[in-house]
Amino acid sequence: MRSDFANVRKENLEYVLKEVLRLAKSNNINNIEKMNDSLKIDLNSIWKKFMHISYESIQTLAQVNKYESFMFDFLSQFNELHNQYANEILMDIADLYIRANETKKGNHYYEYLLRDSDDTTIIIRWAKAYCQKDMDMAREIAKKGLSKMDSSNPNYNILLEILI
């Protein structure tokens, strides 16, 4: 299980993670290190690979819903993963919703992330999520982002390029 996951399919990783979650819940384990020691795995590596493969392969709304439910269930079991990946997973899920034409949910997640933050990397990612789908929306998001920063911000030019 500590091997390279470069050629592993998403379904296999999903199966492994479902089994890890089942075992963690049944044994009341919520610590990654304890899970790694118990199963002789590298849960962080499996988790990151699953996130990457899922992000690249999920296309339909049903797949997004299933992924969202599983990810939230898994994060609720392991606080370390939640603390490390919560924002990234929310952005991934938002992007996947936008890709699956469920823009209301995707926008909701980005608005939630920006509610307590003016992190320009979140705004950039949100705008880029629309670049292939709806350039008018991408430009609208970029305009909002530019209005919250000045030209000295290193991300200013990235958002400016989306407008052009």
Side-chain angles (χ1 to χ4, degrees):
M1 296 278 296
R2 290 189 184 271
S3 65
D4 176 23
F5 297 104
N7 296 316
V8 178
R9 292 181 32 213
K10 175 184 165 277
E11 295 81 19
N12 296 340
L13 288 175
E14 185 175 3
Y15 173 78
V16 169
L17 289 174
K18 282 181 178 180
E19 284 300 303
V20 166
L21 182 59
R22 184 186 64 74
L23 291 169
K25 285 181 175 185
S26 66
N27 293 297
N28 200 27
I29 299 173
N30 59 10
N31 179 284
I32 292 173
E33 192 172 315
K34 188 173 181 181
M35 203 74 217
N36 286 343
D37 290 343
S38 297
L39 298 176
K40 306 295 185 241
I41 62 172
D42 182 351
L43 185 54
N44 219 2
S45 293
I46 297 169
W47 176 258
K48 286 191 283 191
K49 186 63 179 180
F50 179 71
M51 283 176 52
H52 173 74
I53 290 172
S54 296
Y55 186 79
E56 296 299 320
S57 64
I58 290 176
Q59 298 296 319
T60 69
L61 186 56
Q63 291 171 327
V64 178
N65 288 326
K66 181 180 170 188
Y67 178 72
E68 176 185 32
S69 177
F70 177 72
M71 295 305 263
F72 289 163
D73 195 22
F74 209 91
L75 287 178
S76 70
Q77 185 69 31
F78 297 101
N79 288 331
E80 297 131 308
L81 290 176
H82 180 272
N83 294 339
Q84 189 172 359
Y85 295 106
N87 284 354
E88 184 178 348
I89 289 169
L90 283 176
M91 287 187 283
D92 283 356
I93 292 169
D95 290 352
L96 293 170
Y97 273 124
I98 291 167
R99 191 185 307 162
N101 295 316
E102 184 58 53
T103 57
K104 186 175 180 179
K105 276 189 171 184
N107 292 342
H108 173 76
Y109 278 125
Y110 275 114
E111 289 163 358
Y112 171 80
L113 288 166
L114 289 168
R115 184 178 59 198
D116 297 324
S117 168
D118 282 336
D119 186 347
T120 55
T121 58
I122 296 171
I123 295 168
I124 290 168
R125 181 150 172 194
W126 188 12
K128 285 185 175 184
Y130 275 100
C131 282
Q132 297 296 322
K133 237 178 178 14
D134 182 351
M135 273 311 288
D136 290 335
M137 184 63 168
R139 288 183 186 106
E140 184 179 319
I141 295 165
K143 281 180 195 175
K144 285 180 190 177
L146 286 171
S147 71
K148 296 179 182 189
M149 68 179 84
D150 60 35
S151 61
S152 66
N153 186 309
N155 292 321
Y156 186 87
N157 287 336
I158 296 170
L159 289 174
L160 194 58
E161 286 179 26
I162 293 171
L163 284 176
I164 299 173

